[in-house]
Amino acid sequence: MHPPRILLGVNIDHVATLRQARGTRYPDPLQAALVAEEAGADGITVHLREDRRHIQPRDVRLLAEVLNTRMNLEMAVSEEMLALAEEIRPAHVCLVPEKREELTTEGGLDVVGGFDALVGACSRLAAAGCNVSLFIDPEPEQIEAAVKLQVPTIELHTGAYAEAPVGSQAAQQEHQRLTRAALLALEHGLVVNAGHGLNYHNVEAIAAIPGVNELNIGHAIVARALFVGFKEAVAEMKRLIISGQEAGLVAALEEHDHEHEHGPDCQHRHLH
Ligand SMILES: CC(=O)[C@@H](O)[C@H](O)COP(=O)(O)O
Ligand SMILES: NCC(=O)COP(=O)(O)O
């Protein structure tokens, strides 16, 4: 049986970055969201940062009214953001770490260290009807803590993989780390999403990881849209994700056949 297609969440933060650069009314992230949906986005992701460098609270409120798919609101664990999520009740909330001075989200949430604060935040969000996800590094202890917290979903931070040159040993190592983390999380019954820094050159290998539910991608799509238009940029990404997933399925089948023939300890073929 064919597993469900990997979903694409299109992050529109950087449409707002361009708007905020000049304080204009355009480009409008709402317009981008609707075009992305037309092009096949399965959901729209926005990160309302404390410093409001791109998405604004007004964007989030308006998106909640107009989206045809579903919103994934990325947010820090703060009273202000929890109150907003309780007001808007997005379908998905992804809790992320935030530093004011960072250029972008540098690492995953420390679920182990911040466990006690997360208990209250996750239960408030669940009570508001939100599917809660934790944006974490692909580390076993973070996954175990997410399991203990009883959240339904995690999003694996792919930043370290994305920063490594495509095809390099470092990229392969990060890919292995992500694959092992995804497997562990799936064994625990978590829904596994992934994202950060994914682009048209590195996305297929991530889509090939068995069992991944959704990829959240923003910066690369917005950048590509400058040259091919937003609709085509989303559609191209969607095609790559599907082809990556198909390649992963073929590789898994080959691996399975090989193991069947030569036994599980044979070292001759391994994907990454
Ligand atoms: C959590 C995450 O990975 C994204 O939301 C990303 O952070 C958005 O872009 P910026 O980090 O540039 O705000
Ligand atoms: N959670 C990751 C995300 O939403 C998009 O990150 P990026 O593609 O803008 O790096």
Side-chain angles (χ1 to χ4, degrees), residues 78-79 82-83 86 119-130:
S78 68
E79 180 49 43
L82 285 167
E86 285 174 326
V119 172
C122 292
S123 70
R124 276 175 68 177
L125 293 166
C130 307

Side-chain angles (χ1 to χ4, degrees), residues 118-211:
L118 283 167
V119 172
C122 292
S123 70
R124 276 175 68 177
L125 293 166
C130 307
N131 179 296
V132 182
S133 168
L134 305 176
F135 188 59
I136 57 174
D137 287 325
E139 292 297 335
E141 62 272 20
Q142 297 296 340
I143 293 166
E144 308 285 358
V147 173
K148 222 167 114 192
L149 209 50
Q150 297 185 326
V151 289
T153 308
I154 57 164
E155 177 168 326
L156 296 173
H157 192 320
T158 52
Y161 162 79
E163 273 169 29
V166 174
S168 65
Q169 209 186 347
Q172 277 185 27
Q173 279 166 359
E174 285 304 326
H175 189 277
Q176 279 169 1
R177 209 155 75 95
L178 288 159
T179 305
R180 282 196 292 269
L183 188 65
L184 175 65
L186 289 166
E187 280 168 3
H188 282 291
L190 289 166
V191 172
V192 179
N193 298 338
H196 198 88
L198 296 178
N199 60 43
Y200 295 85
H201 302 285
N202 64 21
V203 74
E204 282 175 287
I206 297 298
I209 296 175

